[in-house]
């Protein structure tokens, strides 16, 4: 939405539609944070944690029905259905506008309407984009303070002609009904009916009925990925569901790595990796989203458009991710974790033994014998990136960082080796297009079922996934091959016959990064296999891990028959994209089958 001051008109239109009792322009200041947090504590919708143990930190308990993104209520309303593609829920834009008009009409009655100007990326970055979120949830405003750069500077930029994305959010729970009667408030207002709606052509976002994370913090998945991917397509850049890190080798050389994994597959852990190999260092830049564009020298540069972490709490501990634990020492909002007797937080995996007298995420007394978990499996912490002990000093750099490698990963018990290098960029795009993963708790659905998750973007691509693959191919075609980052597929989750993970993961993933760096430096050869370049087992550093030759064999095994079966499934999957499937993707699949048929497996 361009045009000077157009936001004033838009704000007043939304106020006319939603009829709030009051309108507040937010500025992202500490005073604003303190006032909103105190107000929510007084109202009983936030619990202030023990000031000595967890200063300036709060616990929110959501409505039990509002605990995750709602993908089946998420819509892409492009003019033509085929522009949303077979992987998105398309809805007719004019019909959806009528529905939204009805839903939002009077939806903020009795509530305060907050206008939150925000930047994705450092305000001065050429890669930054601006948005304004209107919301009737003070909880959303508090979270946005941590996740985004909330500042009135954005309004001056818009006044100066910068584009911006209008984003409207309502929990859909007015405090005054249409007859004027007052309704009781609850500690987590929301609506049974939810709509998370994107209009890619006009770059608008409308979200109704949920107060939870990715449904309500509209700078995150809605703007940075769904609308961002459309902006990227039109402007020649990439909006990706990727963590971003700087890796420093013992030789003191820096490498920047972006890695795509589906939600709740350990992106935060990898972004804050504590290397187990001496001399290696990891600095964190982002754990969820990367915006990648071509720099003046032709290399791809990335920024993290976000300013905070919205991480999964369960499983996070001093052992699995000490940096995350240190990051959330203060100034943190927790959602749906358990509360300890002394006003601190707990979740499954934080300690081996749960403290006595916990209160679970629903607010009920809990002990180790309870049948349900104390913290919801998708409970979260929201905290500023600046508090991360491993934060890269360049995380705020307007220029971003030059990418050396891109990793694609899923959660695969079978088939996919620990690491495999793509043959070239186009083969890397094929790898990205074909990754799949087991369903996690971050989205609703049956946990454990295998789902295709191309580029980890399945729920986040704002246009036809086939066109998105074409866009990736075009970025490669317009860049000299030696300037492009190298592409790898990784899988920490392969299991043996006994159903146990073969690979220790976490800090030991440094060994995979070490091999990747050795490949970038041309220090090791790879073994050509049907699915790409594998490490020579003798050159892959597993010193001290005590992994048997059988386990190593299983970690890197390429079972030709199983891969041929998988190729069949890929063909079926690709067929869904019809004319939108790039010819290059079919050619890549043919190439894979040919190599499998020739019996190419690693020596
Ligand atoms: O989309 S959320 O922000 O709620 C978290 C995720 O799924 O990555
Ligand atoms: Mn994510």
């Amino acid at each position: 939405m361009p045009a000077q001051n157009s936001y004033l008109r838009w704000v007043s239109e939304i106020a006319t539609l939603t009829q709030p009792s009051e309108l507040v322009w937010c500025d992202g200041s500490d005073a604003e944070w303190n006032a909103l947090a105190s107000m929510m504590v007084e109202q009983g919708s936030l619990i202030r944690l023990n000031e000595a143990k967890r200063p300036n930190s709060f616990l929110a308990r959501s409505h039990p029905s509002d605990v995750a993104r709602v993908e089946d209520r998420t819509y892409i309303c492009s003019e033509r259905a085929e522009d949303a593609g077979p992987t998105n829920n398309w809805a007719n834009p004019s019909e959806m506008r009528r529905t939204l008009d009805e839903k939002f009409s009077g939806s903020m009655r009795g509530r305060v309407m907050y206008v939150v100007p925000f930047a994705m990326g450092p305000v001065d970055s050429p890669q930054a984009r601006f948005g304004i979120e209107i919301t009737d949830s003070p909880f959303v405003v508090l979270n946005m303070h941590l996740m985004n750069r909330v500042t009135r500077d954005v309004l001056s930029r818009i006044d100066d002609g910068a584009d911006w994305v209008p984003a409207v959010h309502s929990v859909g729970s007015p405090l005054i009904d249409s007859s004027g009667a007052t309704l009781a408030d609850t500690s987590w207002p929301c609506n049974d009916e939810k709509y998370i709606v994107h209009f890619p052509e006009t770059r608008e976002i409308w979200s109704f009925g949920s107060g939870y994370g990715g449904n309500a913090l509209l700078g995150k998945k809605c703007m940075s990925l769904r609308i961002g991917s459309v902006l990227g397509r039109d402007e020649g850049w990439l909006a990706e569901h990727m963590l971003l890190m700087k890796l420093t080798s013992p030789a003191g050389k820096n490498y920047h790595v972006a890695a795509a994994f589906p939600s709740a597959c350990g992106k935060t852990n990898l972004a804050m990796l504590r290397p187990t190999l001496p001399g290696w260092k990891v600095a964190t830049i982002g754990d969820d989203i990367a915006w990648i564009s071509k720099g003046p020298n032709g290399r791809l540069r990335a920024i993290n458009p976000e300013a905070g972490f919205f991480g999964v709490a369960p499983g996070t501990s001093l052992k699995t991710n000490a940096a995350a634990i240190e990051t959330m020492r203060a100034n943190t909002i927790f959602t749906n974790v358990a509360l300890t007797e002394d006003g601190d937080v707990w979740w499954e995996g934080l300690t081996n033994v749960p403290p006595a007298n916990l209160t679970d995420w629903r607010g009920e007394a809990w002990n180790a014998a309870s049948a349900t978990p104390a913290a919801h499996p998708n409970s979260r912490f929201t905290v500023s990136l600046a508090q991360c002990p491993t934060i890269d000093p360049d995380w705020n750099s307007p220029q971003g960082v030059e990418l050396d490698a891109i990793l694609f990963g899923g959660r695969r018990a079978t088939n996919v080796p620990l690491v495999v290098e793509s043959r070239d960029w186009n083969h890397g795009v094929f790898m990205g297009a074909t990754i799949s993963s087991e369903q996690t708790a971050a989205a609703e659905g049956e946990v454990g079922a295998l789902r295709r998750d191309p580029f980890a973007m399945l729920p986040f691509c704002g246009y036809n996934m086939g066109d998105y693959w074409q866009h990736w191919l075009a970025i490669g075609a317009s860049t000299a091959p030696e300037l492009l980052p190298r592409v790898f597929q990784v899988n920490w989750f392969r299991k043996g016959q006994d159903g146990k993970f073969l690979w220790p993961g976490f800090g030991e993933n440094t060994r995979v990064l070490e091999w990747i760096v050795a490949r970038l430096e041309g220090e090791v050869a790879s073994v050509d296999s049907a699915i790409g370049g594998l490490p020579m087992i003798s050159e892959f550093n597993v010193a001290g891990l005590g992994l048997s030759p059988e386990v190593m064999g299983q970690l890197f095994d390429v079972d030709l028959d199983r891969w041929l079966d998988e190729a069949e499934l890929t063909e079926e999957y690709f067929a869904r994209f019809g004319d939108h499937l790039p010819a290059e993707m079919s050619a890549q699949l043919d190439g894979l089958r040919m190599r499998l048929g020739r019996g190419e497996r690693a020596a």
Side-chain angles (χ1 to χ4, degrees):
M1 232 198 210
Q4 258 184 341
N5 267 337
S6 54
Y7 62 84
L8 290 179
R9 191 166 23 113
W10 172 70
V11 167
S12 91
E13 277 168 15
I14 302 300
T16 305
L17 174 68
T18 59
Q19 302 162 32
S21 59
E22 199 187 327
L23 193 156
V24 170
W25 289 80
C26 295
D27 60 11
S29 65
D30 287 350
E32 183 172 280
W33 166 279
N34 291 333
L36 287 176
S38 302
M39 178 193 83
M40 289 191 72
V41 170
E42 258 164 56
Q43 289 173 347
S45 30
L46 276 185
I47 296 168
R48 191 184 292 276
L49 297 173
N50 183 326
E51 212 37 55
K53 299 195 157 222
R54 200 75 63 173
N56 193 30
S57 299
F58 304 87
L59 167 64
R61 293 190 185 125
S62 82
H63 189 278
S65 67
D66 197 20
V67 293
R69 279 185 290 103
V70 281
E71 290 176 9
D72 58 337
R73 305 298 302 167
T74 300
Y75 298 91
I76 302 295
C77 298
S78 42
E79 292 296 332
R80 303 186 317 165
E82 69 173 285
D83 289 331
T87 58
N88 279 313
N89 291 321
W90 177 80
N92 176 296
S94 35
E95 276 170 31
M96 182 57 85
R97 283 190 192 281
R98 274 196 293 279
T99 305
L100 292 175
D101 241 32
E102 198 185 294
K103 293 285 152 201
F104 279 87
S105 172
S107 73
M108 298 189 186
R109 274 197 209 120
R111 292 195 185 277
V112 179
M113 172 172 130
Y114 300 94
V115 183
V116 190
F118 65 95
M120 301 311 300
V123 181
D124 289 323
S125 169
Q127 293 188 61
R129 294 292 182 274
F130 306 125
I132 304 178
E133 177 163 345
I134 286 178
T135 178
D136 55 6
S137 163
F139 182 66
V140 163
V141 181
L142 286 177
N143 277 272
M144 287 189 72
H145 271 228
L146 301 172
M147 294 305 299
N148 309 101
R149 293 157 174 94
V150 175
T151 163
R152 294 241 178 113
D153 287 356
V154 162
L155 299 178
S156 331
R157 303 294 168 120
I158 297 174
D159 284 336
D160 291 344
D163 279 354
W164 59 286
V165 172
V168 189
H169 169 252
S170 172
V171 292
S173 179
L175 294 173
I176 299 171
D177 72 12
S178 48
S179 67
T182 304
L183 305 169
D185 204 359
T186 64
S187 59
W188 183 282
C190 59
N191 193 301
D192 285 345
E193 214 178 337
K194 297 177 176 38
Y195 287 89
I196 319 295
V197 182
H198 310 73
F199 295 94
E201 280 99 359
T202 49
R203 284 125 197 225
E204 285 163 81
I205 303 163
W206 291 77
S207 165
F208 180 87
S210 170
Y212 173 83
N215 298 332
L217 308 175
L218 304 184
K220 200 174 186 34
K221 310 298 190 183
C222 300
M223 172 159 168
S224 290
L225 292 176
R226 299 196 191 96
I227 297 296
S229 59
V230 170
L231 295 173
R233 175 196 64 191
D234 296 346
E235 299 170 3
W237 52 278
L238 300 165
E240 299 304 324
H241 191 207
M242 292 179 177
L243 69 89
L244 205 49
M245 61 142 87
K246 180 173 81 189
L247 183 66
T248 308
S249 70
K253 195 164 167 194
N254 294 329
Y255 305 87
H256 292 103
V257 178
F261 292 84
S263 294
C265 274
K267 285 212 303 297
T268 308
N269 288 342
L270 185 57
M272 299 183 191
L273 179 98
R274 184 161 57 178
T276 50
L277 297 178
W280 289 88
K281 282 200 283 263
V282 163
T284 309
I285 304 172
D287 77 331
D288 199 34
I289 298 172
W291 281 358
I292 304 170
S293 60
K294 213 175 282 186
N297 63 359
R299 295 199 66 200
L300 299 190
R301 308 191 70 100
I303 62 161
N304 171 9
E306 300 192 283
F309 301 108
F310 183 65
V312 180
T316 310
S317 70
L318 279 174
K319 221 171 106 208
T320 60
N321 191 341
I325 296 289
E326 168 68 9
T327 306
M328 50 179 124
R329 66 195 175 272
N331 314 311
T332 303
I333 299 173
F334 297 90
T335 308
N336 289 340
V337 301
L339 181 68
T340 65
E341 216 176 1
D342 57 356
D344 202 6
V345 286
W346 190 82
W347 48 80
E348 277 69 19
L350 178 61
T351 54
N352 285 337
V353 182
N357 302 324
L358 281 176
T359 307
D360 76 4
W361 68 277
R362 293 189 193 82
E364 320 241 312
W366 189 94
N367 64 45
S370 301
T372 50
H376 187 276
N378 195 37
S379 54
R380 298 274 173 161
F381 56 86
T382 318
V383 65
S384 160
L385 273 160
Q387 280 186 204
C388 178
T390 58
I391 193 74
D392 183 56
D394 285 336
W395 76 275
N396 231 338
S397 146
Q399 285 75 41
V401 296
E402 276 182 9
L403 282 185
D404 299 292
I406 292 176
L407 275 46
F408 292 117
R411 188 181 268 275
R412 291 298 307 269
T414 60
N415 283 23
V416 181
L418 180 60
V419 57
V420 53
E421 182 177 358
S422 70
R423 301 155 64 87
D424 54 24
W425 180 265
N426 287 1
H427 182 230
V429 174
F430 176 76
M431 278 179 169
T434 50
I435 56 174
S436 50
S437 190
E438 283 142 28
Q439 175 84 39
T440 72
E444 290 186 333
E446 187 197 335
V447 174
L450 195 72
R451 69 174 204 168
R452 293 267 165 182
D453 196 349
F455 288 76
M457 283 287 278
L458 182 69
F460 306 124
C461 186
Y463 62 103
N464 189 305
M465 186 64 83
D467 297 346
Y468 163 88
W469 297 338
Q470 184 56 49
H471 182 52
W472 265 80
L473 293 166
I475 295 273
S478 65
T479 311
E482 68 278 10
L483 297 179
L484 286 166
R486 300 258 284 272
V487 181
F488 299 81
Q489 182 170 17
V490 298
N491 178 26
W492 322 135
F493 302 100
R494 198 160 184 175
K495 289 182 174 170
Q497 311 287 11
D498 56 0
K500 294 208 177 106
F501 290 117
L502 293 165
W503 181 245
F506 298 104
E508 303 298 358
N509 292 335
T510 321
R511 296 166 189 271
V512 173
L513 296 171
E514 181 188 48
W515 183 76
I516 288 172
V517 163
R519 286 294 301 149
L520 297 178
E521 293 296 339
E523 290 165 2
V524 292
S526 66
V527 187
D528 220 12
S529 83
I531 61 166
L534 295 169
M536 214 118 79
I537 299 232
S538 58
E539 284 183 340
F540 192 83
N541 177 5
V542 285
L545 286 185
L547 298 181
S548 67
E550 291 74 46
V551 165
M552 290 304 288
Q554 286 173 45
L555 267 173
F556 290 104
D557 182 46
V558 178
D559 183 316
L560 299 175
D561 293 331
R562 293 189 71 132
W563 270 96
L564 279 166
D565 291 346
E566 189 150 332
E568 197 115 336
L569 295 175
T570 300
E571 182 175 346
E572 281 167 26
Y573 186 62
F574 278 179
R576 295 179 59 194
F577 297 91
D579 289 353
H580 288 265
L581 179 74
E584 176 62 20
M585 289 291 99
S586 306
Q588 286 288 336
L589 181 59
D590 290 346
L592 171 66
R593 278 182 159 150
M594 212 176 62
R595 296 189 301 272
L596 290 166
R598 281 206 305 259
E600 281 174 29
R601 86 171 76 214

